[in-house]
Amino acid sequence: MITVTINGKDIKLEKPVTILEAARTAGIEIPTLCYHESLELYGGCRLCLVEVEKMPKLQTACTLYVTDGMVVRTESEQIADARRGILEFLLINHPLDCPYCDKAGECDLQDLVEKYGPTAGRFAEGKRKHPESFDDPIIVRNMERCVMCTRCVRMCDGVQGDSAIAVTNRGSHSFIEPFSGGRYNCEYCGNCLTVCPVGAIMSRLHRHSYRAWLVETEVNTVCSYCGVGCSMVIQVRNNSINRVVPRFGLGINNGLLCVRGRFGYDYVGNEQRIKSPLVKKGGKLEPVTWNEAFNTVADRLKALRERYGGSALAGIASGRCTNEENYVFQKLMRCGLGTNNIDSSARLGYSGAQRYLENIFGQGVTANPIYGIANSEAILIVGGDPTAINPILGLQIRTASRNGARVITIGYAPGLERFNSIGLKPRIFTEGILLSGILCEILKIKPFTGENQTLESVIKGLSLRPAREIAEICRLAEDDIRKAAEAICNVSSISIVIGQDIIQRSNGNRNLFMLSSIGYMLNARMTLLSERPNEQGTIDMGCLPDMLPGGRPLEIETFRKRYEGLAGTEIPSGPGLTLMEMVEAAEAGQIKAMYIMGENPVFNLPDSNAVKKALGSLEFLVVQDIFLSETAKIADVVLPALAWSEKEGTYTNLERRMQHVRRAVDIQGMEDWRIISEIGKRLEVSMPYNSSEDIMAEMVRVSPLHTGLTYEDVDKGNALWPYKGEPLRAEMPSLSLSDENIIADKGKLYLMVRRPLFHSGTLSRRSYALNNICSEPYLRISRAVAERLSVKDGDVLKVSTVKGSLQVKTKVDISLNDSAVLLTNNFEGMGAFSLLGYKLDPVTKAPGIEGTEVTIEKGKPR
Amino acid sequence: METILLKNIENPNSADIDEYIKAGGYRSLQKAIEMQPKAIIDEVKKSGLRGRGGAGFPTGMKWTFASSDPKTPRYLLCNADEGEPGTFKDRPILEKNPHLLIEGMAIAGYAIGAEYGYIYLRGEYPGAKDILDTAIRQAYDRGLLGDNILGRAVRFHLSVHQGAGAYICGEETALIESLEGERGQPRIKPPFPVNVGAWSKPTVINNVETLSNIPYIIETGAEAYSKIGSRDCPGPKLYCVSGHVERPGVYELPMGINLRDIIYTHAGGIRGGEKLKAVIPGGVSTPILPPDKIDCPMDFVNMPKHGSMLGSGAVMVFDDTVCLVKVCYRALRFFDHESCGKCTPCREGTGWLSNILGRIEHGKGRDGDIELLLDVAGNMLGKTFCPLGDGAASVVQNFIRHFRPEFEGHIRDAGCRLQN
């Protein structure tokens, strides 16, 4: 026990901390500029000088660790003089432009000068000039205001791991600049903005649009982009969003955000938002009243159900809508329309994979805290770049790497290239074979435990190839495969992070089996990357063709009866169709009508031209969205919903944590749940809801996973898996396993989907900020391909597959496999899915999009 | 007096390994590796050797700290970033006697258990780079460096790392940052480099001159060595005398020799028989002394008692024709240029001081400027991250303390009388 006396107050400490931390535990504030609790210590600003007895000089409180019996004073005349002196130094070259600096009112320098002085300047020379830099579309740098605390640099280097900015020059000529010069070439996380204590690095998005003290309300909410579910504060004035900021100490992201979360919120204010319900009249969508729209939808659906039966109707729920909305949606489909044809885009990877893993390990196997990844000793990453798909989760991996964890990446993960200890890039589409090779090596080291006999017998029944053979197939060094296996074998805390690329295979279940086996042998934690904020919610709320809310299988009668009893209606007992099956059934004329909430299948599903044709042939299509998406354009009725910042509800993130999404601004319009319940009422479904909380109250009675859960619990952070409820303990069903599938790649190129950091699709392309950061898609090609075609960055290429062709600019990507070319699926008319065919995985029912050959040739400049 | 550090340098081929061996070189290394490492450290401790870089820290103690830290590998760094204005004492060793340094480093490396050594050489010594590279190659060829030194299982590898011209990189932690490829800025201490140094491993950083004392200590023993020079800081010392003396140059003299003797006996007195105006005894950061205060023993213990410091032993002599305001201004311009920018008072203060001094020197001084200078210097002193800023502030304070009328004259007369 250490006792330290600060300002006459005795403070007892378990372990030595700095004077600054000790003072803060006792509520004593010591002024700082360069210190930040999330960053490496620096000791540069010298504002935290304090008096320590028996030490002749003033000491910096942020760097000096307390010792037993130390006596410290944090305020005295000498200290005030010293701080005033330091502040005077900071001000001599400062432009003193507070009247038009956006930081005024929340500027640490301003506050400190107000407290300590000086009140007048003595600096008679000309100030250092450094013109404000507007070279970047988002971030504006004013190096005259900079106090050289280097928080931004330490954030970029030590936390974000992007190393994009640095101090340039020396001494009083120092300034902060991106390595790329004026414009940033970085991940645009904007975390440098958060930590800048002055107005030196600021966002242009809200430049001169507000003063800190004019923010009217601050709303704590959760980001709307990906499955991590970062906490953020929306600052509102005049019923519009001024900006979105993270808070240190709040949420799983603890003060950090990624580019989408920080800058991408502005889509909600886009003028392309649908303002009124639309009904197709004479081949054209015409604005109508809400009542007319509701009646049209209810009447048509009712008539189609009567004519064709419930099995001819289908609904697509949304990982972008709240739990409450998804709950109401499945209720409408099941109870109002008598169909189990309910699915969501989680089917593209997340839900099928989760089900597969849960069949082996039990429900909730992927419910692992994100922070656990940072504490892992080894991490295996397969099938995606977490730093792009779930950026804040990706940072956990970078942190683990800095802490000495072994990070092993398989496949394309450029954001981790500086952080992995082993980066395996197997030949295209052979990740699963590589995994079997790693499993084979692990089996040599680790014994079976007998815990899961069924799984073990399947593993024993595999005919696994030796590493030498695997190395040959995957075109890797045999030694690397062995090293990778050893690296994850010899530690006790292991995380496996699984991305969609490996699930979207026609034999994706085989890949998942290999990962499960590795996970089983090593007792690893599994995490599935998730592209949408509430994919987990669609699953938990029963937006699945074979599952009721709470993860209860429809086919088990007792669960079905319970559901029917609570709903007061009978529902069909057989499972419905999955997402891609619905589309196929629509094409075959078996599905006659579809209700799509918050999803854009015409763009977001593989073979999207065929999807468009299939949905176009429906007798009736309802689309509920905030934008007139590709799908909404071909709908019979379009219902304008509210965006994430305009409604209340909950999201469940990929670690199965429920979080509260709060209304920040009011606009005229209707929440998805309100729209559905209006239609539900017309279809005689009981939907007596006045608020999202009413839905929650009903849902927790229906879902055994959420028994008795309230918004209060959610707000307290008590809504972690299994959300106060009971998971289902079921026997593991027998495992069927697809065969290996080696695709000959001699000299051929294959198109794959790139999942980028800067865009998500329908929403992000309506964000002014994200479009400025990244305004168009690029076809990513390897250096070898670029050389073969003699093309360079920016050249326009014509990309063709059997499904179609398009012209797109190219970018050489040194991380890329020589047989792969990558295209994103984010930009209108330029989506990779329009060029890709698919074949369903028989187990997960995810579309396998591998093996689409592509030809590229020089196109004509656009 | 027998020369130890500058031994044999009159020989035009003194940098060659054969000449060095002929003069008795590398015998100490042979002797050392037959000793236990701890015995070597004890010998160095007993010798009383203090670091010659300027701070005068006992070398044996530094070695003990590093060698008792269990982390490995350990590193031995030689600070050859001789950047203090007026200092050129290490240059003759680097250029004329490189094997003395290499031998000293090999012994030190063996003593502290370091298998890797680096000579961090100032960027402005390109000649020394070539000479050291040649000498190191020769030492490798003779089995005096490498994996099996003198046929034994003793490993020590050595290479030269060239700085890029930053004064701050002479500060040991900034040197480490620079060596690691980072921006040259000092680190927070503690932890000290002996525990957390290069690549976070235990690291000893010694000055060129310090390491060059080691072979002699091993060869003749601590007792004989400690009889040279002052009692509290024994050994030979290199004094580099520049400015208005008859014979400027590097002198190897016993530690504690009187400053007046250095100037008048060894360096031949003031050039052209002019009158002495001031002496900076240990490099520009050490306090300037007026002529009546130069009867002082030049060592680490006694100089502070006489109002200055030994520093690097760079004696800068100014005669009556020199404008000390200009000297002060030039010194501050140097500090302004070399401040790394890490801490506020040094980054902003050196520039401000230099600005004020510039206007005084250029005849644009104002009433109150001297008080402002002292106030700004006071706001820096004791508040900077490393000694660079303290040095800059104390230069201003000491110049004004001893030569205030000259500053006042500049302001009053709107310029310098000496130069007009």
Side-chain angles (χ1 to χ4, degrees):
Chain A
M1 186 68 94
I2 298 165
T3 307
V4 53
T5 311
I6 302 181
N7 297 351
K9 200 165 169 180
D10 283 349
I11 301 164
K12 299 217 182 298
L13 297 157
E14 292 291 335
K15 59 179 175 62
V17 295
T18 62
I19 295 175
L20 184 72
E21 287 163 321
R24 287 194 176 171
T25 58
I28 298 167
E29 268 306 310
I30 298 174
T32 56
L33 275 177
C34 71
Y35 174 83
H36 194 285
E37 61 269 27
S38 295
L39 304 175
E40 198 187 342
L41 291 180
Y42 190 64
C45 76
R46 320 304 283 174
L47 271 166
C48 64
L49 291 168
V50 294
E51 290 174 18
V52 180
E53 269 186 19
K54 298 186 187 121
M55 288 190 165
K57 292 203 291 187
L58 295 177
Q59 301 291 323
T60 44
C62 71
T63 60
L64 189 67
Y65 279 77
V66 295
T67 51
D68 195 31
M70 190 181 259
V71 181
V72 180
R73 257 182 311 282
T74 70
E75 299 287 343
S76 72
E77 206 172 315
Q78 185 197 8
I79 293 168
D81 283 349
R83 289 181 187 153
R84 189 182 315 113
I86 303 288
L87 288 165
E88 183 181 26
F89 285 135
L90 287 174
L91 291 183
I92 60 172
N93 281 305
H94 188 284
L96 303 174
D97 56 353
C98 304
Y100 66 89
C101 175
D102 277 354
K103 199 75 174 188
E106 52 179 10
C107 172
D108 290 358
L109 182 63
Q110 199 180 41
D111 293 348
L112 288 168
V113 173
E114 194 269 326
K115 182 167 179 192
Y116 292 101
T119 49
R122 299 185 288 175
F123 184 69
E125 282 69 22
K127 286 178 191 278
R128 184 169 61 232
K129 288 288 167 210
H130 205 118
E132 205 161 18
S133 162
F134 292 99
D135 296 332
D136 192 82
I138 306 296
I139 298 167
V140 53
R141 277 184 304 123
N142 185 324
M143 283 301 122
E144 289 175 2
R145 295 178 190 149
C146 177
V147 292
M148 272 298 141
C149 66
T150 72
R151 280 195 200 178
C152 54
V153 178
R154 284 176 285 147
M155 171 56 83
C156 191
D157 249 0
V159 178
Q160 182 67 20
D162 202 17
S163 303
I165 53 175
V167 182
T168 302
N169 279 349
R170 194 166 68 191
S172 57
H173 302 286
S174 309
F175 60 95
I176 313 281
E177 195 178 55
F179 282 108
S180 45
R183 196 183 158 127
Y184 286 71
N185 176 16
C186 68
E187 294 176 340
Y188 277 98
C189 64
N191 290 325
C192 51
L193 302 171
T194 314
V195 291
C196 182
V198 295
I201 305 181
M202 304 207 72
S203 165
R204 289 178 77 171
L205 301 181
H206 44 76
R207 190 175 161 81
H208 297 333
S209 68
Y210 80 111
R211 312 251 80 185
W213 57 88
L214 293 179
V215 168
E216 286 162 4
T217 34
E218 291 197 330
V219 180
N220 278 353
T221 190
V222 180
C223 177
S224 70
Y225 271 100
C226 83
V228 171
C230 293
S231 294
M232 50 169 56
V233 177
I234 300 181
Q235 296 185 330
V236 182
R237 187 181 167 213
N238 280 343
N239 204 28
S240 86
I241 301 179
N242 260 338
R243 64 173 176 175
V244 157
V245 291
R247 287 277 154 83
F248 287 91
L250 183 70
I252 30 187
N253 49 321
N254 188 23
L256 307 175
L257 281 180
C258 76
V259 56
R260 300 197 290 267
R262 184 184 302 270
F263 299 123
Y265 61 85
D266 58 347
Y267 70 85
V268 299
N270 190 304
E271 56 190 31
Q272 292 173 28
R273 285 282 296 273
I274 317 170
K275 291 168 189 79
S276 139
L278 307 169
V279 170
K280 193 169 271 176
K281 291 177 177 170
K284 252 183 83 185
L285 286 167
E286 300 285 354
V288 296
T289 62
W290 277 106
N291 205 30
E292 185 183 340
F294 292 145
N295 289 337
T296 310
V297 174
D299 293 349
R300 292 283 284 135
L301 289 175
K302 203 179 207 169
L304 288 165
R305 182 188 178 182
E306 277 161 14
R307 184 154 165 214
Y308 298 110
S311 62
L313 309 177
I316 299 176
S318 174
R320 295 207 180 279
C321 289
T322 62
N323 284 318
E324 290 75 0
E325 289 161 344
N326 281 304
Y327 172 80
V328 177
F329 186 78
Q330 63 82 33
K331 186 173 179 186
L332 175 79
M333 297 312 294
R334 290 202 162 100
C335 305
L337 302 176
T339 181
N340 281 322
N341 294 334
I342 313 158
D343 209 353
S344 72
S345 65
R347 180 64 57 187
L348 295 178
Y350 190 83
S351 66
Q354 183 170 74
R355 176 75 63 79
Y356 190 91
L357 299 175
E358 289 190 344
N359 277 344
I360 294 176
F361 297 102
Q363 273 191 347
V365 61
T366 61
N368 296 305
I370 289 172
Y371 64 75
I373 295 172
N375 298 329
S376 303
E377 293 165 76
I379 308 169
L380 177 66
I381 299 121
V382 197
D385 184 351
T387 64
I389 299 164
N390 292 126
I392 297 298
L393 188 150
L395 293 192
Q396 301 281 324
I397 300 173
R398 289 180 178 172
T399 304
S401 162
R402 269 188 225 102
N403 295 343
R406 307 298 307 265
V407 174
I408 296 152
T409 56
I410 295 182
Y412 181 76
L416 290 173
E417 280 198 351
R418 290 192 298 126
F419 298 88
N420 59 14
S421 27
I422 302 177
L424 298 173
K425 285 187 194 155
R427 171 182 155 197
I428 193 162
F429 309 130
T430 61
E431 295 94 335
I433 297 170
L434 171 58
L435 288 171
S436 73
I438 292 175
L439 175 62
C440 180
E441 292 302 310
I442 290 171
L443 292 174
K444 288 182 194 161
I445 306 169
K446 289 264 177 179
F448 284 109
T449 57
E451 208 177 300
N452 187 334
Q453 302 275 1
T454 325
L455 180 64
E456 286 187 6
S457 69
V458 183
I459 297 174
K460 284 173 192 160
L462 292 170
S463 55
L464 292 169
R465 294 192 178 87
R468 186 183 43 77
E469 221 172 290
I470 299 278
E472 208 167 290
I473 296 171
C474 300
R475 297 198 193 115
L476 292 168
E478 191 183 333
D479 203 37
D480 283 347
I481 300 171
R482 211 164 280 137
K483 273 192 206 147
E486 280 161 15
I488 46 178
C489 265
N490 297 331
V491 291
S492 54
S493 156
I494 304 145
S495 289
I496 299 181
V497 178
I498 306 166
Q500 284 193 12
D501 286 348
I502 201 163
I503 306 165
Q504 289 180 352
R505 297 287 165 79
S506 56
N507 66 347
N509 65 82
R510 190 178 176 90
N511 297 339
L512 288 167
F513 175 81
M514 295 302 162
L515 283 167
S516 304
S517 305
I518 292 172
Y520 172 74
M521 294 306 295
L522 303 175
N523 199 14
R525 287 181 296 269
M526 311 272 216
T527 296
L528 286 168
L529 298 181
S530 166
E531 292 186 356
R532 317 244 156 144
N534 200 27
E535 285 190 294
Q536 186 63 54
T538 62
I539 296 170
D540 291 347
M541 293 303 118
C543 290
L544 291 172
D546 54 351
M547 283 279 185
L548 296 170
R552 267 30 181 193
L554 179 77
E555 62 193 32
I556 298 176
E557 200 177 351
T558 47
F559 293 131
R560 197 172 63 246
K561 289 285 171 230
R562 182 168 177 274
Y563 181 88
E564 287 174 343
L566 288 163
T569 335
E570 273 191 31
I571 61 170
S573 58
L577 300 175
T578 62
L579 181 66
M580 298 311 295
E581 289 169 337
M582 287 179 202
V583 175
E584 287 165 12
E587 199 177 1
Q590 288 149 1
I591 295 281
K592 301 291 184 188
M594 248 195 225
Y595 193 140
I596 298 171
M597 171 176 80
E599 190 48 76
N600 184 11
V602 165
F603 185 76
N604 285 340
L605 298 188
D607 203 355
S608 45
N609 294 324
V611 177
K612 186 175 179 181
K613 210 171 125 228
L615 299 192
S617 70
L618 291 169
E619 286 190 26
F620 188 57
L621 176 62
V622 187
V623 173
Q624 190 169 305
D625 209 325
I626 62 172
F627 291 112
L628 200 65
S629 66
E630 285 90 340
T631 313
K633 279 180 190 158
I634 61 165
D636 297 290
V637 178
V638 178
L639 301 166
L642 292 187
W644 128 99
S645 57
E646 297 151 2
K647 59 190 179 186
E648 292 277 327
T650 56
Y651 283 159
T652 308
N653 77 352
L654 60 85
E655 51 172 12
R656 302 191 98 157
R657 179 194 298 270
M658 286 173 81
Q659 303 192 97
H660 199 154
V661 181
R662 289 189 179 81
R663 183 205 309 270
V665 290
D666 281 313
I667 70 156
Q668 292 296 313
M670 254 187 234
E671 296 96 331
D672 289 272
W673 62 262
R674 211 182 284 274
I675 298 171
I676 300 163
S677 49
E678 285 296 331
I679 293 164
K681 281 174 201 160
R682 286 166 173 79
L683 293 169
E684 284 142 35
V685 187
S686 155
M687 292 190 169
Y689 317 123
N690 289 315
S691 68
S692 61
E693 215 164 348
D694 291 347
I695 303 167
M696 178 85 153
E698 180 181 313
M699 185 274 286
V700 301
R701 285 198 310 273
V702 175
S703 161
L705 268 181
H706 299 81
T707 313
L709 192 76
T710 61
Y711 273 19
E712 213 175 9
D713 296 319
V714 173
D715 290 342
K716 278 187 192 151
N718 293 341
L720 273 163
W721 166 264
Y723 327 113
K724 296 178 83 179
E726 282 292 322
L728 181 69
R729 303 275 171 224
E731 285 291 300
M732 182 176 131
S734 64
L735 273 173
S736 65
L737 203 54
S738 293
D739 292 335
E740 269 181 7
N741 175 19
I742 303 177
I743 294 169
D745 66 329
K746 273 254 158 27
K748 287 177 186 153
L749 290 175
Y750 295 91
L751 179 63
M752 291 296 287
V753 180
R754 176 164 183 263
R755 304 174 204 281
L757 174 63
F758 297 137
H759 279 283
S760 70
T762 316
L763 300 186
S764 74
R765 70 166 102 119
R766 267 114 180 162
S767 158
Y768 166 86
L770 296 178
N771 272 329
N772 267 289
I773 291 169
C774 173
S775 58
E776 56 186 340
Y778 287 92
L779 183 79
R780 299 213 158 218
I781 59 176
S782 74
R783 189 177 277 166
V785 173
E787 277 165 15
R788 199 165 73 217
L789 294 170
S790 64
V791 292
K792 55 180 191 313
D793 281 4
D795 286 356
V796 176
L797 294 181
K798 186 174 177 214
V799 196
S800 320
T801 69
V802 289
K803 297 289 176 189
S805 75
L806 49 85
Q807 303 242 351
V808 61
K809 280 188 189 169
T810 190
K811 207 169 232 175
V812 178
D813 188 334
I814 52 167
S815 305
L816 202 56
N817 188 308
D818 283 347
S819 326
V821 301
L822 299 184
L823 183 62
T824 63
N825 197 64
N826 304 122
F827 291 93
E828 200 164 0
M830 305 281 274
F833 277 155
S834 66
L835 302 180
L836 284 166
Y838 72 93
K839 197 176 151 208
L840 279 193
D841 178 312
V843 181
T844 67
K845 299 292 169 89
I849 55 167
E850 78 275 23
T852 303
E853 281 177 37
V854 61
T855 53
I856 51 180
E857 53 196 321
K858 279 193 194 174
K860 48 179 189 296
R862 269 183 285 145
Chain B
M1 181 193 132
E2 168 198 18
T3 51
I4 294 162
L5 305 168
L6 302 182
K7 184 176 172 181
N8 215 20
I9 65 160
E10 305 304 328
N11 180 342
N13 297 321
S14 61
D16 188 76
I17 193 162
D18 290 321
E19 296 296 317
Y20 182 69
I21 289 173
K22 213 189 296 170
Y26 287 112
R27 277 202 309 244
S28 299
L29 177 60
Q30 177 79 52
K31 183 174 174 188
I33 63 170
E34 281 160 22
M35 295 164 72
Q36 288 298 314
K38 192 175 174 300
I40 301 174
I41 297 176
D42 286 343
E43 202 66 20
V44 173
K45 262 189 184 166
K46 225 160 71 188
S47 77
L49 173 64
R50 285 176 178 237
R52 301 296 200 241
F57 191 83
T59 306
M61 237 151 72
K62 210 184 242 186
W63 290 15
T64 309
F65 293 147
S67 61
S68 51
D69 191 306
K71 292 195 293 290
T72 52
R74 301 189 190 107
Y75 294 101
L76 173 67
L77 309 185
C78 169
N79 187 344
D81 191 53
E82 187 169 56
E84 178 78 16
T87 311
F88 46 93
K89 68 181 180 70
D90 294 337
R91 190 170 173 181
I93 299 178
L94 295 167
E95 293 184 353
K96 299 283 184 187
N97 215 354
H99 287 287
L100 181 66
L101 173 62
I102 294 168
E103 185 177 8
M105 286 190 77
I107 297 170
Y110 171 64
I112 62 165
E115 295 184 342
Y116 299 95
Y118 296 92
I119 299 172
Y120 188 96
L121 181 67
R122 77 176 294 209
E124 293 88 338
Y125 282 177
K129 164 86 165 107
D130 295 341
I131 293 164
L132 283 168
D133 281 343
T134 308
I136 288 171
R137 204 172 52 242
Q138 289 175 337
Y140 267 102
D141 290 345
R142 303 293 171 98
L144 300 163
L145 290 173
D147 287 331
N148 298 294
I149 294 178
L150 293 164
R152 289 175 171 253
V154 177
R155 212 167 162 238
F156 186 69
H157 290 272
L158 183 60
S159 60
V160 181
H161 180 97
Q162 242 181 324
Y167 172 63
I168 189 64
C169 292
E171 197 281 339
E172 57 181 8
T173 56
L175 184 151
I176 292 173
E177 289 277 305
S178 170
L179 181 72
E180 289 182 8
E182 303 287 332
R183 185 180 167 81
Q185 286 193 334
R187 290 179 180 174
I188 295 167
K189 293 193 273 192
F192 293 96
V194 285
N195 301 117
V196 183
W199 298 282
S200 302
K201 300 294 183 188
T203 302
V204 164
I205 306 170
N206 285 144
N207 176 259
V208 174
E209 187 186 346
T210 315
L211 289 162
S212 300
N213 273 285
I214 303 299
Y216 183 85
I217 293 172
I218 298 303
E219 194 180 345
T220 61
E223 213 175 302
Y225 179 87
S226 62
K227 294 211 173 87
I228 306 168
S230 339
R231 201 164 55 87
D232 293 328
C233 8
K237 174 79 191 93
L238 297 177
Y239 299 99
C240 44
V241 188
S242 61
H244 299 144
V245 289
E246 286 290 351
R247 289 192 301 275
V250 181
Y251 294 89
E252 181 179 337
L253 300 165
M255 191 65 109
I257 188 167
N258 193 292
L259 177 57
R260 181 178 292 280
D261 282 351
I262 297 177
I263 298 168
Y264 285 94
T265 311
H266 297 282
I270 308 304
R271 189 181 63 187
E274 291 283 344
K275 217 177 126 203
L276 177 67
K277 187 170 185 181
V279 180
I280 298 177
V284 91
S285 306
T286 58
I288 191 166
L289 296 173
D292 57 334
K293 297 221 160 62
I294 63 167
D295 281 303
C296 46
M298 285 282 278
D299 64 30
F300 292 115
V301 181
N302 285 299
M303 285 304 282
K305 297 177 191 162
H306 290 79
S308 190
M309 285 185 294
L310 177 62
S312 60
V315 180
M316 299 161 81
V317 180
F318 303 104
D319 74 9
D320 231 3
T321 63
V322 174
C323 168
L324 288 176
V325 175
K326 190 170 185 176
V327 174
C328 189
Y329 171 48
R330 293 282 282 271
L332 263 295
R333 268 178 55 187
F334 170 80
F335 287 119
D336 177 28
H337 184 247
E338 295 295 345
S339 169
C340 76
K342 175 163 183 168
C343 74
T344 310
C346 178
R347 180 181 66 240
E348 305 293 344
T350 50
W352 194 1
L353 290 174
S354 156
N355 274 333
I356 303 167
L357 285 164
R359 74 171 181 247
I360 296 174
E361 168 63 14
H362 294 125
K364 299 203 172 77
R366 306 165 192 175
D367 286 342
D369 270 356
I370 295 176
E371 287 68 32
L372 182 57
L373 279 173
L374 291 173
D375 201 44
V376 172
N379 283 343
M380 293 169 67
L381 201 71
K383 297 165 191 85
T384 57
F385 191 93
C386 82
L388 193 156
D390 275 349
S394 76
V395 164
V396 170
Q397 288 182 334
N398 286 299
F399 270 68
I400 295 175
R401 175 179 305 143
H402 296 299
F403 302 97
R404 188 172 181 127
E406 207 169 325
F407 285 80
E408 288 167 347
H410 270 73
I411 296 173
R412 192 180 53 239
D413 305 337
C416 183
R417 279 189 166 170
L418 286 166
Q419 293 167 78
N420 299 327

